[in-house]
Amino acid sequence: MPADSLSLAQARALLADRRPIDEAAIRRDRLARLRRKLREHDVAAALIFDPINLRYATGSRNMQVWTMHNFVRYAFVAADGPCVLFDLATSKHLAAGLETIDEIRPAWSADYVIVADRADEIAQKWAGEIDELMRAHGGGNRRLAVDRFDVPTALALQAQGLTLVDGKIMLERARAQKSLEEIRALKRSFEACDAAVAEMRDAIKPGTTEQAAFGLLLKASLARGGEYPETRLLTAGPRTNPWFQEASDRPMQKGEMLSFDTDLIGPMGFYTDISRAWTVDGGRPSDAQRRLYATSRTQLDHNIALLKPGIRFLEFSAKAYALPDIYIPNRYADVAHGCGLNVEYPLIWYPEDEEWGAYDGMFEENMVVCCESYVGAVGGPEGVKLEQPVWITAEGPLLLSDTPLEDDYD
């Protein structure tokens, strides 16, 4: 059995291990996985702009949300050569000392906000520097993987005679399978999320607004090392149906169903993604609320039980719990998705939505997957949103969140 293949008992023992997380080991493993993928796809290097991919490849961060829409930092990762981080000249010190980075240089930016009508000029200078790195470390290979960038930079690289390849393929596949230390770290991040949810729940009472409740959740997460929310999905009563309404200033009423999706970037940059639902006052739910909750819980339990190494994505989708017809029109966006630094590969579509892009593949050991459920009838008074993060071990699924589901709702 490989060293990273664990029985359920061994997996539980790993999650209970309270030794400090070895973040340097996680960084080294991530970079090595990415380089293996680059070599498998016969590319000389990856040019990485997406700040989440940058975090994966280098372990560095710098204004992660702001740099999602301002292309001002990037990294050149050679398949067999150095990792060069290009950062804002005023903040190169942030990544100093990271063992994954061989060199830090000031970054050019051809973003219109930064250089306006000089974009083409700056892009040419920028592309020249990238071309020099490719010639120095590519061994004659002119294939460059890029995860995302602006039009001027793409055109400038092509003008250098480089062949551009979609780098997101390599990054997503590298990110999909975790090392055991990364899974242990992800569990710690979920512990912070669980504690934030518990703190929020204790503070909510009838009259609390959705926004105030969301603020409690976010504050509790930040206090535990969390970083930022990716959504604002917390609603109560009639605003739980349909789903994807954002938290508002509406006060919650006694006895209403509260549903939420954390979608929090927690400690160490992990995506801590759980969904729960309960009555606002914690009292006994109505029969209608119990039916919604029981259906959602059944969907989760059924789908989690299917997760094991070797099951194919389309097979999983076909065998997944079939929602009653009344709930199909308001179904969630996916049945399940990968989880790591954010929503990751794979994404499993409902069979009803396959035409929009469903694809096949295989679940593997040490993937982490979030199983999703939303249950609410069109025009119905309320809806229930539940979600569980699952580690796929050699012997099957293991939950990573300790926030309980409601025992008396089904």
Side-chain angles (χ1 to χ4, degrees):
M1 179 180 289
D4 60 353
S5 184
L6 303 182
S7 67
L8 277 172
Q10 291 171 322
R12 292 190 181 98
L14 180 82
L15 297 183
D17 185 347
R18 305 313 295 178
R19 288 177 301 168
I21 300 297
D22 189 345
E23 294 188 59
I26 293 172
R27 290 192 294 268
R28 289 191 297 268
D29 178 81
R30 287 171 171 172
L31 182 57
R33 284 177 188 271
L34 173 57
R35 283 185 164 133
R36 286 197 294 271
K37 293 300 179 185
L38 298 182
R39 290 191 285 269
E40 287 174 12
H41 286 79
D42 189 30
V43 296
L47 188 60
I48 302 171
F49 280 93
D50 186 306
I52 296 174
N53 287 334
L54 270 174
R55 185 129 183 211
Y56 181 85
T58 69
S60 70
R61 64 172 172 151
N62 184 359
M63 301 182 290
Q64 189 158 304
V65 175
W66 189 79
T67 54
M68 287 180 185
H69 56 89
N70 292 282
F71 287 0
V72 295
R73 64 191 306 261
Y74 47 95
F76 176 91
V77 179
D80 295 289
C83 174
V84 181
L85 175 68
F86 294 82
D87 213 333
L88 293 166
T90 53
S91 50
K92 291 189 296 179
H93 57 282
L94 295 176
L98 287 178
E99 66 290 324
T100 49
I101 300 170
D102 298 294
E103 183 182 356
I104 302 175
R105 299 185 185 183
W108 292 97
S109 176
D111 192 296
Y112 187 83
V113 172
I114 309 298
V115 298
D117 294 333
R118 297 185 64 191
D120 290 339
E121 170 201 344
I122 299 300
Q124 290 172 14
K125 294 180 180 179
W126 168 82
E129 187 172 13
I130 300 301
D131 183 57
E132 288 177 3
L133 286 168
M134 286 288 286
R135 292 183 186 279
H137 304 291
N141 187 339
R142 301 291 285 166
R143 287 165 53 83
L144 175 65
V146 187
D147 62 346
R148 60 188 302 183
F149 51 7
D150 286 342
V151 172
T153 50
L155 296 176
L157 286 178
Q158 288 177 328
Q160 294 287 342
L162 294 168
T163 300
L164 305 185
V165 180
D166 184 3
K168 194 161 187 180
I169 298 169
M170 288 143 257
L171 281 151
E172 287 291 338
R173 295 304 293 267
R175 287 167 55 179
Q177 196 169 32
K178 275 65 175 174
S179 68
L180 295 180
E181 190 68 6
E182 187 172 11
I183 292 171
R184 198 164 71 93
L186 182 54
K187 171 61 176 175
R188 292 283 183 90
S189 197
F190 269 110
E191 289 172 2
C193 179
D194 291 333
V197 168
E199 187 171 321
M200 175 189 70
R201 183 168 189 170
D202 288 345
I204 289 175
K205 59 184 182 297
T208 302
T209 67
E210 295 167 354
Q211 290 178 161
F214 177 76
L216 291 168
L217 176 65
L218 182 55
K219 177 183 177 182
S221 174
L222 294 174
R224 292 169 171 82
E227 297 183 10
Y228 59 89
E230 288 214 326
T231 65
R232 291 167 45 89
L233 298 175
L234 186 152
T235 52
R239 301 193 70 255
T240 60
N241 188 1
W243 191 239
F244 287 115
Q245 300 182 65
E246 295 191 338
S248 74
D249 60 359
R250 178 184 179 275
M252 303 178 192
Q253 306 300 310
K254 180 179 176 67
E256 287 184 336
M257 183 63 73
L258 163 67
S259 287
F260 65 93
D261 194 337
T262 55
D263 287 333
L264 292 169
I265 303 301
M268 296 172 281
F270 287 105
Y271 186 54
T272 52
D273 190 17
I274 68 172
S275 297
R276 294 293 186 269
W278 56 69
T279 50
V280 171
D281 59 348
R284 186 171 180 82
S286 68
D287 289 344
Q289 290 171 331
R290 289 166 62 88
R291 285 193 294 270
L292 289 172
Y293 199 97
T295 302
S296 187
R297 177 73 181 270
T298 299
Q299 181 179 24
L300 269 193
D301 291 345
H302 176 98
N303 292 348
I304 289 170
L306 293 173
L307 288 171
K308 60 182 179 181
I311 188 170
R312 300 196 66 84
F313 302 158
L314 294 181
E315 178 188 3
F316 176 86
S317 179
K319 291 181 176 179
Y321 178 77
L323 280 174
D325 290 345
I326 191 174
Y327 302 128
I328 287 294
N330 269 358
R331 62 188 173 276
Y332 194 69
D334 58 84
V335 180
H337 61 77
C339 179
L341 295 183
N342 63 351
V343 173
E344 298 180 347
Y345 170 91
L347 186 139
I348 310 302
W349 295 75
Y350 274 87
E352 291 84 355
D353 299 321
E354 285 186 356
E355 65 175 302
W356 294 99
Y359 52 87
D360 207 4
M362 185 178 293
F363 287 110
E364 300 175 24
E365 186 176 355
N366 296 333
M367 282 185 171
V368 174
V369 175
C370 289
C371 285
E372 301 266 15
S373 173
Y374 174 76
V375 175
V378 172
E382 293 183 309
V384 166
K385 176 72 172 67
L386 298 177
E387 179 181 12
Q388 290 278 46
V390 181
W391 171 16
I392 302 176
T393 76
E395 294 183 351
L398 184 61
L399 298 181
L400 291 177
S401 170
D402 296 325
T403 298
L405 297 171
E406 308 303 298
D407 291 332
D408 58 348
Y409 278 35
D410 50 12

